[in-house]
Amino acid sequence: MAGRGRSLPAPVVVKLTLLKRLQPKNPGYQRYEGWCMRFGVALLLYFNLPVEEKFADPKSPNGLAHWFDFTWAADPEIMGILKWILIPVLAFYVFGRLRWLALPYMFTLSLAVGTLKNSQRAGEIAHVYQALTMVLLVQMIWHFYYQVRIWIRKPHHFHPGWTARAMEIFVTQSALVGIYLTTAVTKMIESGGMWLWQVRKIGVELERTWQQKYYHYLEEQGPQWALAMKDFITENPWAAVFIFGPGLIAEIIVPIALYGRRRALVIGILLIILHIGAIYIMRLTFWQNIALLVIFFVNVPYWIVSASSAATRRARASG
């Protein structure tokens, strides 16, 4: 048995020191930040639960639709009632009350609508509800984990000073980081590490997508700058590398967002720019992702309060 006073080997000390430095520090999230973030999630969920009868017949069941019947999510009468019930549920969620009830209810609705929408046609999988559903899932898991630790009188061990509020925000940000990092890794695996080289051919896909939109509506869809960008990429394949390449880099370095508000702000803005380009140039839908990035990475309320506090301090100092 090793003596109690024996020191650790140097390599072990180096590894432990490195791991300690890699651990994110507590940003000190304030109560109003938690309220604002939950309020943003609540609004996003409420206004993104469509009541559409056209989804009532899932022609190509996807995911959990193979085992569970989600057609009730396409019934206007049922969803109308569930959305009325959702209002007080969201109020509980925002103010941090009865989350053991609110989070499962919110998660189930988001999961049902997203699964049903992705079960309409074979091969047509939209990621519209993925990020929001993942956020609700990790918040639900964290809440129950934390409550269980309280019940057994064993508080969570992460960092000294980390509150339940800070941890909830951190695990939510981590879920978003995981989504983007998985996207980047998938791109590299599926392309054999040649994604940047293959993206030169994206002009063909862009042209096909724009033509489909045109023949469906019989007029050009989207702003002129997006149409001009599409034509430029189609005529200059190498331009796609420089236009879409930064997006891949942003997805790869996204874990940096977990290391402070400023880094989260920068990464959030980069990813928002990526999504805006995808929305208008590639004709994809990422508005929910943008909203979640604004809520959890950009964190507008914090910067408004910080700017206001700084202005007040300067005014007092000069007065």
Side-chain angles (χ1 to χ4, degrees):
M1 182 180 294
R4 293 185 179 180
R6 183 177 298 177
S7 61
L8 293 172
V12 175
V13 174
V14 171
K15 290 180 181 179
L16 291 176
T17 303
L18 180 60
L19 287 174
K20 186 175 181 180
R21 290 182 178 179
L22 287 176
Q23 291 177 339
K25 296 180 180 179
N26 183 5
Y29 291 110
Q30 302 298 312
R31 182 169 296 180
Y32 76 87
E33 292 180 85
W35 285 343
C36 290
M37 289 177 177
R38 291 195 295 271
F39 182 68
V41 171
L43 288 179
L44 187 60
L45 176 64
Y46 185 82
F47 289 107
N48 281 277
L49 287 180
V51 181
E52 300 183 55
E53 292 183 85
K54 66 180 181 180
F55 294 151
D57 182 22
K59 303 175 181 62
S60 181
N62 178 62
L64 292 177
H66 287 290
W67 302 283
F68 299 97
D69 181 11
F70 290 111
T71 54
W72 52 266
D75 187 318
E77 184 175 349
I78 293 177
M79 282 300 290
I81 295 173
L82 293 178
K83 287 193 73 173
W84 274 108
I85 297 174
L86 181 62
I87 295 175
V89 169
L90 292 177
F92 287 134
Y93 168 74
V94 171
F95 291 104
R97 298 290 183 267
L98 298 179
R99 272 189 276 183
W100 58 269
L101 172 66
L103 283 166
Y105 187 85
M106 296 163 64
F107 169 71
T108 301
L109 288 184
S110 183
L111 177 68
V113 172
T115 302
L116 196 61
K117 193 167 185 177
N118 280 335
S119 300
Q120 301 305 306
R121 296 181 183 178
E124 289 193 8
I125 305 298
H127 300 289
V128 177
Y129 294 91
Q130 178 198 39
L132 177 58
T133 305
M134 183 65 72
V135 163
L136 294 173
L137 175 62
V138 298
Q139 287 190 356
M140 182 174 65
I141 292 173
W142 160 250
H143 177 72
F144 283 112
Y145 164 78
Y146 183 71
Q147 290 302 317
V148 168
R149 298 289 292 189
I150 291 178
W151 292 335
I152 63 177
R153 297 184 179 181
K154 289 185 178 180
H156 71 91
H157 299 285
F158 189 73
H159 277 301
W162 278 76
T163 62
R165 175 176 60 250
M167 279 300 301
E168 179 185 63
I169 296 172
F170 178 78
V171 298
T172 304
Q173 292 174 330
S174 298
L176 294 173
V177 165
I179 290 172
Y180 289 103
L181 196 57
T182 301
T183 301
V185 171
T186 302
K187 287 177 181 177
M188 300 307 293
I189 292 176
E190 292 296 320
S191 64
M194 301 296 291
W195 188 84
L196 286 175
W197 176 264
Q198 294 177 1
V199 78
R200 297 175 304 117
K201 304 175 184 178
I202 200 172
V204 177
E205 292 297 320
L206 294 179
E207 192 65 40
R208 180 179 63 84
T209 301
W210 278 76
Q211 289 296 331
Q212 287 177 341
K213 293 288 184 180
Y214 176 80
Y215 286 111
H216 181 77
Y217 296 100
L218 296 180
E219 62 179 1
E220 292 289 359
Q221 297 294 306
Q224 287 299 313
W225 68 264
L227 176 61
M229 186 67 73
K230 182 268 297 182
D231 292 337
F232 180 73
I233 293 172
T234 303
E235 296 168 3
N236 304 275
W238 275 104
V241 177
F242 299 98
I243 293 173
F244 296 108
L248 176 64
I249 296 173
E251 291 173 338
I252 292 174
I253 66 173
V254 69
I256 294 175
L258 299 176
Y259 291 87
R261 288 189 176 90
R262 287 185 176 83
R263 293 181 178 90
L265 174 65
V266 172
I267 295 296
I269 291 174
L270 288 175
L271 290 173
I272 288 171
I273 294 173
L274 162 68
H275 284 314
I276 291 175
I279 289 170
Y280 289 107
I281 300 175
M282 302 178 68
R283 316 306 297 158
L284 300 175
T285 304
F286 285 109
W287 291 114
Q288 281 198 16
N289 292 66
I290 290 177
L292 290 170
L293 289 170
V294 170
I295 293 169
F296 291 103
F297 281 16
V298 178
N299 194 5
V300 176
Y302 168 78
W303 296 107
I304 292 176
V305 171
S306 296
S308 176
S309 299
T312 302
R313 288 194 298 269
R314 285 196 297 269
R316 289 175 178 174
S318 60

